[in-house]
Amino acid sequence: MQSVWWLEGPGDASAFQRVERPLPAVKPGWVLVQVEAFGLNRSELFSRRGMSSADFSYPRVLGLECVGRVLDPSDAGIAQNTRVMCMMGGLGRAFDGGYASHVLAPRKQVFVAENQLSAADFGSIPETYNTAWGVTEALPAQAGDKVLVRAATSALGMAVTQILADRGCHVFGTTRNPKKVGLLESRSRLTGVILDGPDLAARVLADHGAMQAVVDGVGSREAIESNAATLPEGGHIQMVGQLAESWTSDQAPVVPDAVTTGFTRSDLVEAPKDEPWLAEIVRRVEAGRYRPTIHETFPFEELPRAHRVMESNEAVGKLVVLAPKG
């Protein structure tokens, strides 16, 4: 049998129903995975509220990522019991996802990554570090460069900081919440923590000088324009997501011609072509080069509480849920 957190329709965290049902039937091109853990993502919060992308439908088991061991590889050519990551490609949207004891996922969304990490540490990696890697690979920042990370208390912001600090960059992170400054300083590898506000750019320049690059997860007109103000000619803004409301065409941000911009998508990842670099991320975590920042680990039965914590915006780092054993 399979244990899942089921959603019949949109609602608050109490809308989740834990149910038991038969294991999904294995089919060609798909892999059955026994889940060890899964991380939470804000897009799942939007899905729970009924605000997801066009490929989403109810009823649904949410969860665009999970980690575990192969129970039945079907025709995928992966050995049984191999440790894998599953993510994206419609997982938790077009078909049932990782909020479960078992997941049936397409082979192209199952990534081999053998390791000796704990379930919680492994579960904190897939979507967060997949996105962070894409962001940092697109960022023209070298050792010694100064990089500003907006919304640095998010799991993604923490992962970006880990990768850039390992590269030798001086990373400065922002938070809007004064109560999170101490946690951010103690849990991250930031060179400095900056309290966000309307005069952010002026304070960054006065206290730290010009940045070479900015990683922005806010996406508002005001945020992007203040990002640009911290950069010299040739500086770069890499955007990833848009937490703020979108702007209309006549309110689009004004960015100097000498500042370049880019946008990172995380949903294009596929196996086996992307397995090597995802496995490399896991190896770097095992070696201690990257240290996943987990705000809290929850037992499976506390999934609704985990969603409430995510919704409260109180977390500094990743929220991870451990799947039931057996």
Side-chain angles (χ1 to χ4, degrees):
M1 294 294 288
Q2 174 195 35
S3 184
V4 305
W5 282 104
W6 185 253
L7 269 183
E8 287 286 347
D12 60 20
S14 64
F16 286 112
Q17 305 172 50
R18 184 175 177 179
V19 300
E20 302 293 320
R21 63 186 192 181
L23 287 177
V26 180
K27 54 188 176 181
W30 292 64
V31 178
L32 182 62
V33 175
Q34 183 165 345
V35 179
E36 296 179 23
F38 54 88
L40 299 191
N41 298 276
R42 292 198 70 82
S43 64
E44 295 152 5
L45 177 60
F46 300 145
S47 294
R48 195 202 75 207
R49 292 171 174 171
M51 302 161 56
S52 194
S53 55
D55 64 344
F56 180 82
S57 61
Y58 292 111
R60 181 63 64 222
V61 177
L62 299 185
L64 58 82
E65 65 172 313
C66 65
V67 301
R69 294 184 182 275
V70 172
L71 190 62
D72 188 333
S74 180
D75 58 355
I78 305 174
Q80 191 175 31
N81 208 41
T82 299
R83 228 170 178 198
V84 295
M85 302 185 286
C86 306
M87 63 177 142
M88 305 307 294
L91 189 68
R93 291 178 176 170
F95 52 90
D96 288 342
Y99 290 12
S101 62
H102 300 78
V103 162
L104 184 66
R107 168 63 179 105
K108 66 180 181 179
Q109 306 308 142
V110 178
F111 305 87
V112 174
E114 285 287 12
N115 64 84
Q116 300 299 316
L117 295 170
S118 68
D121 282 347
F122 190 27
S124 73
I125 293 173
E127 174 55 10
T128 296
Y129 276 86
N130 163 44
T131 307
W133 186 276
V135 169
T136 56
E137 286 295 290
L139 209 63
Q142 307 301 321
D145 285 350
K146 290 183 287 187
V147 181
L148 181 65
V149 177
R150 302 292 298 272
T153 57
S154 68
L156 175 60
M158 294 282 204
V160 167
T161 298
Q162 293 276 339
I163 296 172
L164 290 175
D166 182 72
R167 192 184 294 180
C169 297
H170 304 294
V171 190
F172 299 86
T174 73
T175 176
R176 294 174 298 171
N177 189 342
K179 296 180 180 179
K180 291 185 177 181
V181 170
L183 283 175
L184 193 53
E185 289 174 335
S186 64
R187 294 182 180 181
S188 73
R189 295 176 64 182
L190 289 167
T191 303
V193 177
I194 306 166
L195 195 61
D196 211 336
D199 61 343
L200 175 69
R203 288 187 286 112
V204 168
L205 292 172
D207 297 341
H208 308 291
M211 302 286 114
Q212 277 70 54
V214 179
V215 175
D216 181 80
V218 180
S220 70
R221 173 188 176 187
E222 293 76 15
I224 294 171
E225 290 182 350
S226 69
N227 294 338
T230 69
L231 297 169
E233 289 190 5
H236 181 81
I237 303 170
Q238 191 67 20
M239 294 175 282
V240 52
Q242 187 170 315
L243 299 179
E245 295 182 1
S246 62
W247 53 79
T248 58
S249 59
D250 62 342
Q251 296 175 320
V254 178
V255 178
D257 291 339
V259 171
T260 59
T261 62
F263 188 88
T264 297
R265 291 179 58 179
S266 64
D267 58 333
L268 302 179
V269 62
E270 287 188 2
K273 70 177 178 65
D274 294 316
E275 282 180 336
W277 61 264
L278 287 167
E280 177 61 23
I281 290 172
V282 174
R283 283 192 289 270
R284 293 185 186 189
V285 172
E286 279 196 290
R289 290 177 61 180
Y290 304 159
R291 300 184 184 90
T293 305
I294 300 175
H295 180 81
E296 187 173 354
T297 301
F298 302 83
F300 190 72
E301 58 269 21
E302 292 187 13
L303 182 277
R305 184 173 76 83
H307 254 249
R308 293 187 186 100
V309 172
M310 177 166 57
E311 200 160 19
S312 73
N313 293 318
E314 67 184 62
V316 177
K318 190 75 170 178
L319 302 177
V320 178
V321 177
L322 300 178
K325 295 182 179 180

